[in-house]
Amino acid sequence: MHVEIWSDIICPWCYLGKARFEAALGSFEHRDEVTVTFRSFELDPSRDTVEPLQKMLSARYGPDAVQMEERMAGLVAAEGLGYRVDREVGSTFDAHRLLHLAREQGVENELVNALFKANFAEARPLFTGDTLLEVAAEAGLDRTAAERVLADPAAYAEAVREEEQEASRLGATGVPFFVLDRRFGVAGGQSVEVFARALEQAWEQRAA
């Protein structure tokens, strides 16, 4: 069974949703027969600047921003994950391009995990080439190949855009968005129980 996950590395619900999905997958009877692919989705594809997260949230949500972050921090902590509020936000397009390279090199999941950890648990700035390369190398991505990708704005650019367009065609209006065998769609960072039911239902349909 093939599970596709559209997500963005600066999306806290994607961070949370991945952890919950993996918990459900870990107890799924047929987990060894499930392949997971991460697909590209930018929360803010027009962003071309880097700024503190709190500044962006305050401008967008006003006084509710602090409470929103506190609630999210609690949800993430309940899954045993780190969460810092002194993060930055910027364009994630280069990170998505590197994720396509990571898929080819067989370390896609490792890079997704490394990017989530670097952003949310460590508040490392992922919007400059140096830090992005450091995280990529830590995840097992060939650094020289990663440098070539970042040096070439066209490398994997079309692949990223195609996946974003595909998300729209499938009806995704936000992320995370999970598609199971192109039969079931699950939107948002749902509970472990919801993901477990979706895996069972998709498997049953596949068997039928």
Side-chain angles (χ1 to χ4, degrees), residues 40-178:
S40 298
F41 191 104
E42 295 169 273
L43 285 180
D44 189 356
S46 64
R47 175 172 286 279
D48 58 4
T49 59
V50 178
E51 66 178 334
L53 172 72
Q54 293 294 337
K55 179 180 178 181
M56 183 275 287
L57 291 177
S58 295
R60 185 170 297 181
Y61 301 109
D64 293 335
V66 173
Q67 185 177 4
M68 288 170 56
E69 274 294 277
E70 289 177 350
R71 176 174 177 270
M72 180 57 68
L75 292 172
V76 169
E79 301 298 332
L81 301 172
Y83 195 84
R84 286 176 51 172
V85 298
D86 56 335
R87 310 188 305 276
E88 293 181 339
V89 291
S91 171
T92 56
F93 191 67
D94 282 345
H96 284 293
R97 295 197 298 129
L98 287 186
L99 282 167
H100 280 267
L101 174 64
R103 187 185 304 167
E104 291 182 358
Q105 294 191 357
V107 292
E108 182 183 33
N109 187 60
E110 289 82 356
L111 182 54
V112 172
N113 285 336
L115 290 170
F116 275 145
K117 180 181 178 181
N119 180 60
F120 290 104
E122 301 169 344
R124 293 168 69 181
L126 296 176
F127 315 106
T128 62
D130 289 344
T131 306
L132 196 52
L133 284 171
E134 288 174 6
V135 175
E138 291 165 8
L141 194 63
D142 181 83
R143 187 183 178 104
T144 301
E147 287 175 342
R148 285 198 296 267
V149 168
L150 293 185
D152 178 7
Y156 299 105
E158 185 176 351
V160 172
R161 297 301 186 207
E162 285 178 354
E163 289 189 351
E164 292 176 334
Q165 291 165 9
E166 188 174 15
S168 179
R169 289 193 295 269
L170 290 172
T173 56
V175 284
F177 186 62
F178 300 76

Side-chain angles (χ1 to χ4, degrees), residues 11-18 20 71-72 75 120 175-176 188-189:
C11 165
W13 283 106
C14 297
Y15 182 44
L16 182 64
K18 183 177 188 294
R20 290 175 172 175
R71 176 174 177 270
M72 180 57 68
L75 292 172
F120 290 104
V175 284

Side-chain angles (χ1 to χ4, degrees), residues 1-7 18 21-22 25 31-39 103 108-109 112 178-180 199:
M1 185 163 68
H2 187 200
V3 178
E4 299 162 275
I5 306 174
W6 273 265
S7 63
K18 183 177 188 294
F21 171 77
E22 288 178 343
L25 183 61
R31 58 187 174 276
D32 293 337
E33 299 177 68
V34 177
T35 300
V36 178
T37 301
F38 293 90
R39 302 293 189 192
R103 187 185 304 167
E108 182 183 33
N109 187 60
V112 172
F178 300 76
V179 177
L180 292 77
L199 286 166

